Amino acid sequence: MIALIDMMGGETAGWGRPMGRQVFERIREFVDQRPRERVFAISMAGIEHLDFSFASETIVEIARRHRGEKGFFIVDLSDDDLRDNIDAAAVKKEQPLVVWYDGSYKLIGMPPSQGVREALAFALERPATRASEFASARDGMSIANSSSKFKQLWSGGFLLRSDGSAETGGTEFIYHPIAKVGHTTYA
């Protein structure tokens, strides 16, 4: 877990791009030292204020730079003003982020298109899923259509994916939420 307050040197307020860039470098270094980890929680515990510029340079930028390879989600976020500033920064950079609250989530930042929202909700309820599982759960949906939806979600930064084996012997991607499921964070 990335405790943002630790990355901020104990400061409870993040102001402006210069401070944001300094904190970003600390977060980047933390992430680079953990090459095997794919998913990181960013804890907002103890943070009292983040302005738009700071949020853009830190939380949103680290997620944007690692899109498709590593994922970042937010926890311990109880202040609506903090959430609104992070949300606005994420929208501006076209980056989706997930905020987790005791087993439920809220998507902020860049919203998914209407056509993939059901597939995203399906994926966020599971630790891993395949396009074939989503197609099976939706009567009449082809695997190709389902696969296209999940590929859009992955390339848009909503999900991570890994290689898996299909029952037919070929390769089939396994999609993972950028999240914790229940109380278990996975890598």
Side-chain angles (χ1 to χ4, degrees), residues 56-94:
S56 177
E57 292 296 326
T58 55
I59 298 166
V60 177
E61 185 60 20
I62 197 75
R64 189 190 67 75
R65 287 208 188 171
H66 288 284
R67 185 186 288 190
E69 298 171 16
K70 294 181 185 284
F72 299 83
F73 65 94
I74 300 169
V75 295
D76 306 321
L77 179 61
S78 58
D79 185 280
D80 291 341
D81 291 334
L82 287 176
R83 187 192 64 233
D84 289 348
N85 283 344
I86 297 167
D87 184 24
V91 168
K92 174 98 172 159
K93 286 195 171 189
E94 299 182 349

mmCIF file of all heavy atoms in Angstrom, residues 56-94:
data_model
loop_
_atom_site.group_PDB
_atom_site.id
_atom_site.type_symbol
_atom_site.label_atom_id
_atom_site.label_comp_id
_atom_site.label_asym_id
_atom_site.label_seq_id
_atom_site.Cartn_x
_atom_site.Cartn_y
_atom_site.Cartn_z
ATOM 1 N N SER A 56 -3.410 15.880 -9.972
ATOM 2 C CA SER A 56 -3.069 15.582 -11.360
ATOM 3 C C SER A 56 -1.637 15.084 -11.494
ATOM 4 O O SER A 56 -1.368 14.125 -12.217
ATOM 5 C CB SER A 56 -3.263 16.841 -12.209
ATOM 6 O OG SER A 56 -2.870 16.614 -13.535
ATOM 7 N N GLU A 57 -0.718 15.712 -10.787
ATOM 8 C CA GLU A 57 0.702 15.374 -10.890
ATOM 9 C C GLU A 57 1.093 14.110 -10.134
ATOM 10 O O GLU A 57 2.169 13.563 -10.389
ATOM 11 C CB GLU A 57 1.564 16.538 -10.395
ATOM 12 C CG GLU A 57 1.511 17.754 -11.266
ATOM 13 C CD GLU A 57 2.068 17.535 -12.671
ATOM 14 O OE1 GLU A 57 3.022 16.741 -12.838
ATOM 15 O OE2 GLU A 57 1.539 18.157 -13.605
ATOM 16 N N THR A 58 0.275 13.657 -9.207
ATOM 17 C CA THR A 58 0.647 12.498 -8.381
ATOM 18 C C THR A 58 -0.213 11.282 -8.707
ATOM 19 O O THR A 58 0.189 10.424 -9.490
ATOM 20 C CB THR A 58 0.533 12.838 -6.884
ATOM 21 O OG1 THR A 58 -0.790 13.315 -6.609
ATOM 22 C CG2 THR A 58 1.548 13.863 -6.460
ATOM 23 N N ILE A 59 -1.363 11.194 -8.110
ATOM 24 C CA ILE A 59 -2.225 10.018 -8.209
ATOM 25 C C ILE A 59 -2.615 9.727 -9.655
ATOM 26 O O ILE A 59 -2.474 8.600 -10.136
ATOM 27 C CB ILE A 59 -3.489 10.209 -7.343
ATOM 28 C CG1 ILE A 59 -3.093 10.370 -5.876
ATOM 29 C CG2 ILE A 59 -4.457 9.050 -7.523
ATOM 30 C CD1 ILE A 59 -4.200 10.900 -5.000
ATOM 31 N N VAL A 60 -3.099 10.737 -10.342
ATOM 32 C CA VAL A 60 -3.567 10.527 -11.712
ATOM 33 C C VAL A 60 -2.406 10.210 -12.643
ATOM 34 O O VAL A 60 -2.488 9.299 -13.473
ATOM 35 C CB VAL A 60 -4.362 11.753 -12.206
ATOM 36 C CG1 VAL A 60 -4.793 11.566 -13.658
ATOM 37 C CG2 VAL A 60 -5.578 11.996 -11.313
ATOM 38 N N GLU A 61 -1.303 10.901 -12.491
ATOM 39 C CA GLU A 61 -0.163 10.694 -13.384
ATOM 40 C C GLU A 61 0.460 9.309 -13.205
ATOM 41 O O GLU A 61 0.833 8.673 -14.192
ATOM 42 C CB GLU A 61 0.889 11.782 -13.186
ATOM 43 C CG GLU A 61 2.042 11.711 -14.161
ATOM 44 C CD GLU A 61 1.654 11.831 -15.628
ATOM 45 O OE1 GLU A 61 0.559 12.339 -15.944
ATOM 46 O OE2 GLU A 61 2.467 11.404 -16.474
ATOM 47 N N ILE A 62 0.570 8.812 -11.986
ATOM 48 C CA ILE A 62 1.157 7.475 -11.804
ATOM 49 C C ILE A 62 0.262 6.412 -12.433
ATOM 50 O O ILE A 62 0.734 5.475 -13.076
ATOM 51 C CB ILE A 62 1.487 7.172 -10.311
ATOM 52 C CG1 ILE A 62 2.451 5.984 -10.199
ATOM 53 C CG2 ILE A 62 0.248 6.901 -9.478
ATOM 54 C CD1 ILE A 62 3.861 6.279 -10.567
ATOM 55 N N ALA A 63 -1.048 6.571 -12.300
ATOM 56 C CA ALA A 63 -1.979 5.617 -12.917
ATOM 57 C C ALA A 63 -1.910 5.707 -14.436
ATOM 58 O O ALA A 63 -1.901 4.682 -15.139
ATOM 59 C CB ALA A 63 -3.398 5.883 -12.418
ATOM 60 N N ARG A 64 -1.860 6.915 -14.965
ATOM 61 C CA ARG A 64 -1.816 7.105 -16.420
ATOM 62 C C ARG A 64 -0.537 6.516 -17.023
ATOM 63 O O ARG A 64 -0.566 5.845 -18.046
ATOM 64 C CB ARG A 64 -1.911 8.589 -16.751
ATOM 65 C CG ARG A 64 -2.100 8.871 -18.250
ATOM 66 C CD ARG A 64 -1.943 10.340 -18.569
ATOM 67 N NE ARG A 64 -0.586 10.812 -18.368
ATOM 68 C CZ ARG A 64 0.447 10.560 -19.189
ATOM 69 N NH1 ARG A 64 0.270 9.825 -20.255
ATOM 70 N NH2 ARG A 64 1.646 11.046 -18.928
ATOM 71 N N ARG A 65 0.585 6.741 -16.379
ATOM 72 C CA ARG A 65 1.865 6.251 -16.917
ATOM 73 C C ARG A 65 1.967 4.734 -16.921
ATOM 74 O O ARG A 65 2.694 4.171 -17.737
ATOM 75 C CB ARG A 65 3.032 6.825 -16.124
ATOM 76 C CG ARG A 65 3.246 8.272 -16.434
ATOM 77 C CD ARG A 65 4.667 8.663 -16.249
ATOM 78 N NE ARG A 65 4.789 10.104 -16.379
ATOM 79 C CZ ARG A 65 5.873 10.765 -16.107
ATOM 80 N NH1 ARG A 65 6.940 10.123 -15.689
ATOM 81 N NH2 ARG A 65 5.908 12.066 -16.244
ATOM 82 N N HIS A 66 1.264 4.082 -16.022
ATOM 83 C CA HIS A 66 1.356 2.618 -15.929
ATOM 84 C C HIS A 66 0.133 1.904 -16.503
ATOM 85 O O HIS A 66 -0.025 0.704 -16.313
ATOM 86 C CB HIS A 66 1.554 2.199 -14.466
ATOM 87 C CG HIS A 66 2.920 2.526 -13.951
ATOM 88 N ND1 HIS A 66 4.023 1.787 -14.276
ATOM 89 C CD2 HIS A 66 3.357 3.525 -13.150
ATOM 90 C CE1 HIS A 66 5.090 2.292 -13.687
ATOM 91 N NE2 HIS A 66 4.709 3.354 -13.002
ATOM 92 N N ARG A 67 -0.724 2.644 -17.203
ATOM 93 C CA ARG A 67 -1.962 2.077 -17.747
ATOM 94 C C ARG A 67 -1.682 0.803 -18.532
ATOM 95 O O ARG A 67 -0.791 0.751 -19.358
ATOM 96 C CB ARG A 67 -2.635 3.091 -18.661
ATOM 97 C CG ARG A 67 -3.979 2.623 -19.168
ATOM 98 C CD ARG A 67 -4.562 3.551 -20.178
ATOM 99 N NE ARG A 67 -5.013 4.777 -19.551
ATOM 100 C CZ ARG A 67 -5.741 5.692 -20.158
ATOM 101 N NH1 ARG A 67 -6.088 5.534 -21.409
ATOM 102 N NH2 ARG A 67 -6.119 6.775 -19.535
ATOM 103 N N GLY A 68 -2.445 -0.238 -18.226
ATOM 104 C CA GLY A 68 -2.313 -1.510 -18.917
ATOM 105 C C GLY A 68 -1.288 -2.447 -18.313
ATOM 106 O O GLY A 68 -1.330 -3.644 -18.555
ATOM 107 N N GLU A 69 -0.354 -1.921 -17.533
ATOM 108 C CA GLU A 69 0.700 -2.741 -16.931
ATOM 109 C C GLU A 69 0.542 -2.896 -15.427
ATOM 110 O O GLU A 69 0.750 -3.960 -14.878
ATOM 111 C CB GLU A 69 2.062 -2.132 -17.235
ATOM 112 C CG GLU A 69 2.399 -2.075 -18.703
ATOM 113 C CD GLU A 69 3.654 -1.264 -18.972
ATOM 114 O OE1 GLU A 69 4.417 -1.008 -18.023
ATOM 115 O OE2 GLU A 69 3.862 -0.878 -20.132
ATOM 116 N N LYS A 70 0.239 -1.778 -14.770
ATOM 117 C CA LYS A 70 0.029 -1.771 -13.327
ATOM 118 C C LYS A 70 -1.218 -0.948 -13.057
ATOM 119 O O LYS A 70 -1.576 -0.083 -13.853
ATOM 120 C CB LYS A 70 1.218 -1.146 -12.585
ATOM 121 C CG LYS A 70 2.505 -1.959 -12.691
ATOM 122 C CD LYS A 70 3.632 -1.311 -11.922
ATOM 123 C CE LYS A 70 4.942 -2.048 -12.110
ATOM 124 N NZ LYS A 70 5.019 -3.281 -11.345
ATOM 125 N N GLY A 71 -1.847 -1.231 -11.935
ATOM 126 C CA GLY A 71 -3.054 -0.497 -11.612
ATOM 127 C C GLY A 71 -2.975 0.125 -10.229
ATOM 128 O O GLY A 71 -2.293 -0.386 -9.337
ATOM 129 N N PHE A 72 -3.702 1.221 -10.063
ATOM 130 C CA PHE A 72 -3.727 1.969 -8.811
ATOM 131 C C PHE A 72 -5.176 2.241 -8.450
ATOM 132 O O PHE A 72 -5.952 2.673 -9.301
ATOM 133 C CB PHE A 72 -2.963 3.287 -8.968
ATOM 134 C CG PHE A 72 -1.518 3.069 -9.323
ATOM 135 C CD1 PHE A 72 -1.144 2.851 -10.640
ATOM 136 C CD2 PHE A 72 -0.554 3.046 -8.337
ATOM 137 C CE1 PHE A 72 0.180 2.619 -10.976
ATOM 138 C CE2 PHE A 72 0.772 2.809 -8.655
ATOM 139 C CZ PHE A 72 1.139 2.595 -9.974
ATOM 140 N N PHE A 73 -5.525 1.959 -7.202
ATOM 141 C CA PHE A 73 -6.863 2.285 -6.724
ATOM 142 C C PHE A 73 -6.736 3.041 -5.411
ATOM 143 O O PHE A 73 -5.687 3.043 -4.774
ATOM 144 C CB PHE A 73 -7.747 1.043 -6.594
ATOM 145 C CG PHE A 73 -7.301 0.040 -5.557
ATOM 146 C CD1 PHE A 73 -7.810 0.081 -4.270
ATOM 147 C CD2 PHE A 73 -6.404 -0.962 -5.884
ATOM 148 C CE1 PHE A 73 -7.419 -0.843 -3.318
ATOM 149 C CE2 PHE A 73 -6.015 -1.903 -4.943
ATOM 150 C CZ PHE A 73 -6.522 -1.840 -3.655
ATOM 151 N N ILE A 74 -7.803 3.714 -5.028
ATOM 152 C CA ILE A 74 -7.771 4.605 -3.873
ATOM 153 C C ILE A 74 -8.605 4.019 -2.743
ATOM 154 O O ILE A 74 -9.703 3.503 -2.973
ATOM 155 C CB ILE A 74 -8.304 5.994 -4.266
ATOM 156 C CG1 ILE A 74 -7.421 6.578 -5.375
ATOM 157 C CG2 ILE A 74 -8.364 6.927 -3.067
ATOM 158 C CD1 ILE A 74 -7.982 7.826 -6.025
ATOM 159 N N VAL A 75 -8.069 4.113 -1.525
ATOM 160 C CA VAL A 75 -8.787 3.687 -0.319
ATOM 161 C C VAL A 75 -8.690 4.806 0.729
ATOM 162 O O VAL A 75 -7.910 5.740 0.570
ATOM 163 C CB VAL A 75 -8.224 2.362 0.264
ATOM 164 C CG1 VAL A 75 -8.444 1.203 -0.693
ATOM 165 C CG2 VAL A 75 -6.747 2.495 0.628
ATOM 166 N N ASP A 76 -9.481 4.669 1.766
ATOM 167 C CA ASP A 76 -9.467 5.614 2.894
ATOM 168 C C ASP A 76 -9.788 7.044 2.451
ATOM 169 O O ASP A 76 -9.223 8.008 2.964
ATOM 170 C CB ASP A 76 -8.107 5.592 3.633
ATOM 171 C CG ASP A 76 -7.703 4.204 4.070
ATOM 172 O OD1 ASP A 76 -8.593 3.446 4.500
ATOM 173 O OD2 ASP A 76 -6.509 3.868 3.968
ATOM 174 N N LEU A 77 -10.712 7.155 1.515
ATOM 175 C CA LEU A 77 -11.105 8.465 0.997
ATOM 176 C C LEU A 77 -12.523 8.761 1.467
ATOM 177 O O LEU A 77 -13.490 8.222 0.941
ATOM 178 C CB LEU A 77 -11.046 8.478 -0.531
ATOM 179 C CG LEU A 77 -11.454 9.777 -1.225
ATOM 180 C CD1 LEU A 77 -10.549 10.922 -0.808
ATOM 181 C CD2 LEU A 77 -11.399 9.595 -2.734
ATOM 182 N N SER A 78 -12.633 9.592 2.484
ATOM 183 C CA SER A 78 -13.951 9.886 3.038
ATOM 184 C C SER A 78 -14.381 11.319 2.798
ATOM 185 O O SER A 78 -15.524 11.679 3.051
ATOM 186 C CB SER A 78 -13.970 9.587 4.543
ATOM 187 O OG SER A 78 -12.972 10.348 5.194
ATOM 188 N N ASP A 79 -13.501 12.147 2.278
ATOM 189 C CA ASP A 79 -13.805 13.565 2.073
ATOM 190 C C ASP A 79 -14.250 13.807 0.627
ATOM 191 O O ASP A 79 -13.511 13.516 -0.312
ATOM 192 C CB ASP A 79 -12.559 14.393 2.395
ATOM 193 C CG ASP A 79 -12.816 15.872 2.322
ATOM 194 O OD1 ASP A 79 -12.819 16.409 1.197
ATOM 195 O OD2 ASP A 79 -13.021 16.489 3.384
ATOM 196 N N ASP A 80 -15.460 14.346 0.458
ATOM 197 C CA ASP A 80 -15.994 14.596 -0.880
ATOM 198 C C ASP A 80 -15.168 15.606 -1.659
ATOM 199 O O ASP A 80 -15.030 15.492 -2.880
ATOM 200 C CB ASP A 80 -17.446 15.065 -0.796
ATOM 201 C CG ASP A 80 -18.398 13.973 -0.331
ATOM 202 O OD1 ASP A 80 -18.033 12.785 -0.406
ATOM 203 O OD2 ASP A 80 -19.516 14.321 0.098
ATOM 204 N N ASP A 81 -14.611 16.611 -0.993
ATOM 205 C CA ASP A 81 -13.796 17.609 -1.693
ATOM 206 C C ASP A 81 -12.520 16.987 -2.249
ATOM 207 O O ASP A 81 -12.098 17.296 -3.371
ATOM 208 C CB ASP A 81 -13.448 18.782 -0.773
ATOM 209 C CG ASP A 81 -14.666 19.637 -0.427
ATOM 210 O OD1 ASP A 81 -15.630 19.657 -1.223
ATOM 211 O OD2 ASP A 81 -14.652 20.271 0.638
ATOM 212 N N LEU A 82 -11.888 16.121 -1.479
ATOM 213 C CA LEU A 82 -10.704 15.415 -1.979
ATOM 214 C C LEU A 82 -11.065 14.597 -3.207
ATOM 215 O O LEU A 82 -10.371 14.637 -4.230
ATOM 216 C CB LEU A 82 -10.128 14.490 -0.910
ATOM 217 C CG LEU A 82 -9.388 15.097 0.266
ATOM 218 C CD1 LEU A 82 -8.994 14.017 1.258
ATOM 219 C CD2 LEU A 82 -8.165 15.858 -0.200
ATOM 220 N N ARG A 83 -12.160 13.830 -3.085
ATOM 221 C CA ARG A 83 -12.594 12.986 -4.198
ATOM 222 C C ARG A 83 -12.887 13.844 -5.429
ATOM 223 O O ARG A 83 -12.503 13.494 -6.541
ATOM 224 C CB ARG A 83 -13.820 12.163 -3.825
ATOM 225 C CG ARG A 83 -14.183 11.140 -4.914
ATOM 226 C CD ARG A 83 -15.531 10.509 -4.738
ATOM 227 N NE ARG A 83 -16.548 11.545 -4.866
ATOM 228 C CZ ARG A 83 -17.503 11.770 -3.962
ATOM 229 N NH1 ARG A 83 -17.582 11.038 -2.879
ATOM 230 N NH2 ARG A 83 -18.382 12.725 -4.155
ATOM 231 N N ASP A 84 -13.562 14.971 -5.253
ATOM 232 C CA ASP A 84 -13.910 15.830 -6.382
ATOM 233 C C ASP A 84 -12.664 16.376 -7.083
ATOM 234 O O ASP A 84 -12.625 16.450 -8.319
ATOM 235 C CB ASP A 84 -14.794 16.990 -5.924
ATOM 236 C CG ASP A 84 -16.200 16.543 -5.542
ATOM 237 O OD1 ASP A 84 -16.574 15.387 -5.833
ATOM 238 O OD2 ASP A 84 -16.920 17.366 -4.936
ATOM 239 N N ASN A 85 -11.632 16.748 -6.332
ATOM 240 C CA ASN A 85 -10.402 17.256 -6.950
ATOM 241 C C ASN A 85 -9.650 16.158 -7.701
ATOM 242 O O ASN A 85 -9.127 16.397 -8.794
ATOM 243 C CB ASN A 85 -9.503 17.914 -5.906
ATOM 244 C CG ASN A 85 -9.998 19.289 -5.518
ATOM 245 O OD1 ASN A 85 -10.819 19.897 -6.208
ATOM 246 N ND2 ASN A 85 -9.510 19.794 -4.403
ATOM 247 N N ILE A 86 -9.608 14.965 -7.134
ATOM 248 C CA ILE A 86 -8.966 13.844 -7.828
ATOM 249 C C ILE A 86 -9.765 13.489 -9.075
ATOM 250 O O ILE A 86 -9.210 13.251 -10.150
ATOM 251 C CB ILE A 86 -8.812 12.625 -6.891
ATOM 252 C CG1 ILE A 86 -7.901 12.964 -5.714
ATOM 253 C CG2 ILE A 86 -8.259 11.425 -7.660
ATOM 254 C CD1 ILE A 86 -7.945 11.941 -4.584
ATOM 255 N N ASP A 87 -11.088 13.466 -8.941
ATOM 256 C CA ASP A 87 -11.976 13.158 -10.062
ATOM 257 C C ASP A 87 -11.757 14.144 -11.209
ATOM 258 O O ASP A 87 -11.577 13.744 -12.363
ATOM 259 C CB ASP A 87 -13.429 13.192 -9.573
ATOM 260 C CG ASP A 87 -14.444 12.803 -10.629
ATOM 261 O OD1 ASP A 87 -14.089 12.086 -11.593
ATOM 262 O OD2 ASP A 87 -15.613 13.197 -10.491
ATOM 263 N N ALA A 88 -11.759 15.427 -10.913
ATOM 264 C CA ALA A 88 -11.580 16.447 -11.948
ATOM 265 C C ALA A 88 -10.226 16.302 -12.643
ATOM 266 O O ALA A 88 -10.130 16.422 -13.873
ATOM 267 C CB ALA A 88 -11.726 17.842 -11.345
ATOM 268 N N ALA A 89 -9.184 16.021 -11.874
ATOM 269 C CA ALA A 89 -7.850 15.839 -12.452
ATOM 270 C C ALA A 89 -7.815 14.602 -13.346
ATOM 271 O O ALA A 89 -7.210 14.614 -14.423
ATOM 272 C CB ALA A 89 -6.802 15.734 -11.348
ATOM 273 N N ALA A 90 -8.481 13.532 -12.921
ATOM 274 C CA ALA A 90 -8.514 12.294 -13.702
ATOM 275 C C ALA A 90 -9.322 12.472 -14.986
ATOM 276 O O ALA A 90 -8.945 11.940 -16.036
ATOM 277 C CB ALA A 90 -9.070 11.156 -12.846
ATOM 278 N N VAL A 91 -10.416 13.212 -14.921
ATOM 279 C CA VAL A 91 -11.195 13.503 -16.135
ATOM 280 C C VAL A 91 -10.333 14.273 -17.126
ATOM 281 O O VAL A 91 -10.290 13.950 -18.318
ATOM 282 C CB VAL A 91 -12.491 14.279 -15.795
ATOM 283 C CG1 VAL A 91 -13.138 14.841 -17.054
ATOM 284 C CG2 VAL A 91 -13.477 13.389 -15.055
ATOM 285 N N LYS A 92 -9.628 15.277 -16.640
ATOM 286 C CA LYS A 92 -8.777 16.114 -17.507
ATOM 287 C C LYS A 92 -7.717 15.270 -18.222
ATOM 288 O O LYS A 92 -7.423 15.493 -19.388
ATOM 289 C CB LYS A 92 -8.116 17.202 -16.663
ATOM 290 C CG LYS A 92 -7.119 18.036 -17.397
ATOM 291 C CD LYS A 92 -7.703 19.320 -17.852
ATOM 292 C CE LYS A 92 -6.594 20.193 -18.415
ATOM 293 N NZ LYS A 92 -7.077 21.184 -19.277
ATOM 294 N N LYS A 93 -7.151 14.283 -17.524
ATOM 295 C CA LYS A 93 -6.113 13.429 -18.122
ATOM 296 C C LYS A 93 -6.689 12.154 -18.739
ATOM 297 O O LYS A 93 -5.934 11.269 -19.146
ATOM 298 C CB LYS A 93 -5.054 13.063 -17.076
ATOM 299 C CG LYS A 93 -4.141 14.221 -16.748
ATOM 300 C CD LYS A 93 -2.900 13.770 -16.004
ATOM 301 C CE LYS A 93 -1.920 14.916 -15.901
ATOM 302 N NZ LYS A 93 -0.630 14.475 -15.369
ATOM 303 N N GLU A 94 -8.010 12.063 -18.795
ATOM 304 C CA GLU A 94 -8.706 10.907 -19.375
ATOM 305 C C GLU A 94 -8.239 9.593 -18.765
ATOM 306 O O GLU A 94 -7.950 8.619 -19.455
ATOM 307 C CB GLU A 94 -8.558 10.899 -20.895
ATOM 308 C CG GLU A 94 -9.160 12.120 -21.549
ATOM 309 C CD GLU A 94 -9.073 12.115 -23.056
ATOM 310 O OE1 GLU A 94 -8.365 11.265 -23.636
ATOM 311 O OE2 GLU A 94 -9.721 12.979 -23.674
#
